[in-house]
């Protein structure tokens, strides 16, 4: 891997960059495709950037539906023509007593993780307000179906579904433009949710924020492309594009925003 590649990313991302390099080496050595587990948007951005640098291999992403947040990457040599089946994704619907019980994203996620299932094995968890569905890697589908019979105290049954049975998710990202003085986490939260810089700083320092699904407590942390921050009680923000600078030297950003 060219040493210059590392300087474009965070130090903490170096192990993932090395992993991407080894995947690409496998594709090159064996001249056949390599399928990753589910990647978060920041990881997808890193894969795209590195594949773009190398040029000999290509990549495509699929998370089960068009606007999926978590997606699998298929890295492949230029002769290969990917199809949807190559991504090996299984959709499950959760059957539960809807009149007597409520599910939530957090409960479903917690149940899967507590069952010893790695986060990268499953993709987006979606609801239309009543029905719940989620994606998993096809190789783990039978195991997950057998393991998950309860969510909290609620008895559930996982039913495999085809793509034609996909529900229309209730939570959809809304694209918004924002102008901010810096890419600091507290500056962005303050601008998007119209709260004081001090309040947004306190939210971060009090552990109310997750960056790419990990709790962190640094208000001065600078966001990078495709990063997602979750703000408890407010929603989520994704940095989609840095569109340039204003005359007053502020950043013009395109954001994906989910408001609670």
């Amino acid at each position: 891997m060219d040493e210059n590649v590392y300087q474009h990313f965070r130090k903490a991302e170096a192990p993932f960059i090395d992993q991407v390099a080894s995947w690409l080496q496998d594709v090159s050595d064996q001249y056949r495709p390599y399928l990753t587990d589910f990647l978060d948007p920041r990881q997808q951005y890193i894969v795209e950037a590195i594949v773009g640098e190398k040029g000999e291999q290509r990549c495509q992403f699929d998370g089960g539906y068009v606007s999926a947040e978590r997606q699998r990457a298929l890295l492949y040599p230029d002769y290969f023509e990917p199809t949807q089946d190559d991504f090996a994704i299984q959709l499950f619907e959760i059957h539960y007593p809807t009149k007597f019980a409520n599910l939530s994203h957090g409960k479903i996620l917690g149940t899967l993780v507590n069952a010893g299932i790695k986060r990268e094995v499953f993709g987006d968890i979606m609801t239309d307000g009543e029905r719940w569905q989620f994606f998993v890697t096809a190789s783990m589908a039978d195991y997950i179906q057998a393991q998950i019979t309860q969510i909290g105290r609620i008895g559930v049954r996982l039913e495999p579904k085809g793509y034609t049975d996909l529900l229309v998710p209730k939570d959809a990202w809304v694209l918004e433009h924002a102008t901010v003085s810096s890419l600091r986490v507290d500056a962005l939260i303050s601008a998007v949710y119209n709260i004081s810089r001090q309040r947004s700083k306190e939210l971060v320092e009090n552990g109310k924020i997750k960056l790419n699904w990990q709790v962190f407590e640094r208000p001065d942390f600078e966001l990078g492309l495709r990063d997602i921050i979750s703000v408890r009680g407010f929603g989520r923000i994704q940095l989609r594009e840095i569109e340039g600078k204003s005359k007053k030297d502020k950043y013009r950003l395109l954001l994906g925003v989910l408001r609670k």
Side-chain angles (χ1 to χ4, degrees):
M1 174 65 69
D2 185 344
E3 286 300 314
N4 292 333
V5 170
Y6 294 94
Q7 70 191 31
H8 299 297
F9 302 102
R10 300 174 186 133
K11 255 187 188 164
E13 291 169 336
F16 182 70
I17 292 166
D18 292 339
Q19 192 170 35
V20 176
S22 75
W23 293 338
L24 288 169
Q25 194 62 52
D26 283 351
V27 174
S28 180
D29 292 347
Q30 298 171 26
Y31 208 55
R32 61 187 176 86
Y34 181 89
L35 179 64
T36 74
D37 285 334
F38 285 97
L39 306 176
D40 68 41
R42 177 67 182 176
Q43 291 171 323
Q44 294 164 36
Y45 169 69
I46 293 169
V47 170
E48 268 180 333
I50 293 172
V51 172
E53 296 261 331
K54 288 185 76 79
E56 296 156 29
Q57 290 91 14
R58 300 183 184 181
C59 72
Q60 265 190 39
F61 299 93
D62 195 322
Y65 67 111
V66 175
S67 53
E69 198 171 284
R70 296 177 64 76
Q71 302 195 44
R72 302 188 81 173
L74 187 71
L75 309 171
Y76 56 94
D78 51 14
Y79 77 87
F80 189 77
E81 295 284 339
T83 67
Q84 196 169 38
D85 289 346
D86 292 315
F87 289 90
I89 296 170
Q90 177 63 55
L91 175 66
F92 278 122
E93 178 148 352
I94 304 170
H95 287 276
Y96 69 105
T98 52
K99 287 182 181 175
F100 309 107
N102 288 314
L103 295 182
S104 68
H105 189 282
K107 281 180 190 170
I108 297 165
L109 183 58
T111 299
L112 290 164
V113 171
N114 290 337
I117 300 161
K118 288 182 181 171
R119 183 64 182 98
E120 52 267 31
V121 166
F122 49 96
D124 286 9
I125 299 168
M126 306 157 299
T127 185
D128 60 5
E130 184 171 284
R131 295 165 63 205
W132 286 89
Q133 296 179 341
F134 64 95
F135 293 101
V136 300
T137 60
S139 61
M140 287 291 287
D142 288 348
Y143 175 79
I144 290 169
Q145 189 178 15
Q147 284 288 310
I148 306 300
T149 56
Q150 265 193 308
I151 294 175
R153 295 182 178 175
I154 305 161
V156 301
R157 178 173 59 83
L158 301 186
E159 183 187 354
K161 292 281 190 180
Y163 291 116
T164 51
D165 298 313
L166 188 65
L167 56 75
V168 178
K170 185 178 67 170
D171 287 336
W173 290 98
V174 175
L175 293 179
E176 297 184 14
H177 293 271
T179 304
V180 292
S181 55
S182 81
L183 297 177
R184 283 173 53 132
V185 167
D186 56 358
L188 208 62
I189 293 168
S190 172
V192 170
Y193 294 116
N194 202 20
I195 57 177
S196 71
R197 190 75 171 260
Q198 184 58 32
R199 172 90 197 282
S200 64
K201 191 177 176 189
E202 285 166 5
L203 285 170
V204 184
E205 289 172 343
N206 293 333
K208 307 286 190 200
I209 310 295
K210 286 186 178 177
L211 171 71
N212 299 329
W213 298 273
Q214 304 293 321
V215 175
F216 87 120
E217 296 170 4
R218 279 185 49 203
D220 62 343
F221 188 85
E222 292 219 344
L223 291 173
L225 285 172
R226 311 270 185 95
D227 275 339
I228 290 179
I229 46 176
S230 310
V231 188
R232 196 184 304 168
F234 289 87
R236 288 192 288 167
I237 306 166
Q238 182 180 34
L239 178 52
R240 295 282 177 98
E241 286 177 32
I242 299 171
E243 296 180 320
K245 292 249 185 132
S246 69
K247 287 178 181 172
K248 293 184 177 176
D249 209 35
K250 290 189 170 185
Y251 289 97
R252 291 201 312 270
L253 307 177
L254 177 64
L255 306 171
V257 180
L258 278 172
R259 295 178 187 276
K260 285 208 167 168

